[in-house]
Amino acid sequence: MTKRIVVLGLGRIGGAIAQILNRHDGYDVTGADINPTAVAHFSEQFKTELLPNTSPETRDYGALLTGQDAVISALTFNDNPYVAQAALDHGCSYFDLTEDVRCTQAIKEIALAAAPGQVFMPQCGLAPGFIGILGYSFRHRFDRLDTLKLRVGALPEYPSNQMMYNLTWSTEGLINEYANPCESIKNHIPTLTEPLEGREVFSISGVEYEAFNTSGGLANLCYSLDGELRELTYKTIRYPGHCKLMKFLFHDLRLGEEGKRRDMLMEIFESSVATTMQDLVLISVVATGYVDDRLKQCSRTFLLRHTAEQSAIQISTASAAVTTVDLILNGRESRQGFVEQETLNIDEFLANDFAKAYRDAELSI
């Protein structure tokens, strides 16, 4: 049965999501954006609508969402609670790509009033998203899980500046994860840690990387794994040297403070740091736990690369989001209200038609 779905936001990620779904016979896609250029660009591929360029709280999504099975929001996290409320009011399921913890909490509250079969699943995509599904799956590998280390990085393939970094996705989202408190579990207790701290260095396939605390990547894992392990951390992967420069900007110059300073930092990044489509996405989960009272370690690593047409962050985020939506909308299990990412089965995820990029990306190391 064909599913009717709306994709809000036709930027790099939202546009890729809409295109993937539109190529599948099981979906009838409508894309919408406030940008007339984006709407015109996709108008010959699938149905498009131009959204009014008003403030998020006054924008009316009623006509667009009526009769739809689901909406995927690729808008900013500030818009998402309003979209989720509109989805609730018009009886369709809701998915988004946010990494913002406060936004997700607001959507959890909205989801309490969901009708039977109406699902609310924020934080789809890569991290949060796929990384949570992968990380949660490791609990089945041990009699007792001890530590879980989740590491994800979207990196330029050819870094050429002192930051060893190029912009590959949302600048606002990047600053958000570098500036906001980070959830973790330490000594069995859920806690908050400081962003840009906890730096570590490691290598994969002969390439050296660093990783450090960032916000938002764990989604609901601190709650779903509370009481089940000693330590849970999420860190962002970069090339060595990046963290030191970010600490100078965010801490010494205080540009991570909310308000005008953070706006200034976003303007600096967007005017001075080049974007690139030539990127790669590195995903690593390392777990330790006990099997027959012996401490053991196991891991899984994925490396996704850009193509001539799409960046690795587009591929990884869009294909993970679409796989998640497809598993929920066409799953055998009926769900209602807020649904945690990690409840999806990793084997079913990787076997899904939309997850080929991930199947092809797993490394044997």
Side-chain angles (χ1 to χ4, degrees), residues 89-160:
D89 295 341
H90 293 88
C92 63
S93 291
Y94 170 89
F95 304 85
D96 73 32
L97 308 172
T98 187
E99 77 291 335
D100 186 76
V101 175
R102 288 173 293 187
C103 171
T104 297
Q105 188 57 47
I107 292 165
K108 278 187 180 181
E109 295 295 322
I110 292 169
L112 293 173
Q118 190 178 26
V119 167
F120 287 77
M121 184 180 273
Q123 301 182 310
C124 302
L126 170 61
F130 174 75
I131 188 63
I133 301 167
L134 178 64
Y136 193 67
S137 71
F138 277 79
R139 76 197 194 285
H140 296 304
R141 297 192 174 206
F142 305 95
D143 298 333
R144 187 172 81 256
L145 190 60
D146 185 55
T147 67
L148 195 56
K149 299 179 179 181
L150 280 58
R151 309 291 185 259
V152 178
L155 302 160
E157 187 166 21
Y158 310 109
S160 61

Side-chain angles (χ1 to χ4, degrees), residues 6-10 30-36 39 48-54 59-65 73 75 79 83:
V6 172
V7 178
L8 293 178
L10 295 175
T30 300
D33 201 294
I34 62 171
N35 185 344
V39 170
T48 56
E49 296 281 348
L50 181 65
L51 293 173
N53 190 7
T54 59
R59 193 174 297 142
D60 184 6
Y61 296 103
L64 194 59
L65 299 188
S73 176
L75 303 174
D79 292 59
V83 178

